[in-house]
Amino acid sequence: METTTVKFYSLNYNDVKTYWAALLFIVGNILFPQLFHLMPQGGIIWLPIYFFTLIGAYKYGWKVGLLTAILSPIINSLFFDMPAPAVLPAILLRSILLAITAGWAAQRFGRISIPVLIGVVLIYQAVGTLGEWIYNGNFYSAIQDFRIGIPGMCLQVLGGYTFIKYLIRK
């Protein structure tokens, strides 16, 4: 399995670059879902709200990822009602878990590889599913990403790998 070393950053909240990077990924997380919601069930199949959170957290650290993870779903919900307010807590939980897991994995492994990204996606999804099940008490709803969102998880892994490896390599 191919592994690529790329330069990772760990930006701090007192650094203006943190907010510019987060803004870039938030915009991506606003535009990407709009595109996928043009397809029937595009949001629940492709899970586009998580894509740029993964990339931002992996490339620039958990702080950029956390800003992206929190602000993207809230802004999308306020302006586009996607995610709907009823599911916003579950989306926020998964987004935050993704930001923390991706930032940790990038720092821990110092490289980008498909197995590492698979691990990141499976960890945030599994823990997020458990948290959502505890929060809303509905197991069937909590496992929706595993029932319907497999293409989205594959997009996160393969698209995230490609994007990090080729487009933001520095």
Side-chain angles (χ1 to χ4, degrees), residues 1-4 54 58 105 111-122 153-166:
M1 186 65 53
E2 183 180 338
T3 298
T4 301
L54 170 68
Y58 210 96
R111 60 184 168 81
I112 182 76
S113 71
I114 290 177
V116 170
L117 287 179
I118 289 171
V120 166
V121 169
L122 289 177
M153 288 186 241
C154 292
L155 174 67
Q156 291 167 31
V157 170
L158 299 176
Y161 176 79
T162 302
F163 198 93
I164 293 167
K165 181 180 175 189
Y166 293 109

Side-chain angles (χ1 to χ4, degrees), residues 59-73:
K59 175 69 178 169
Y60 293 101
W62 67 268
K63 293 174 184 172
V64 168
L66 196 57
L67 287 170
T68 307
I70 293 170
L71 294 176
S72 298

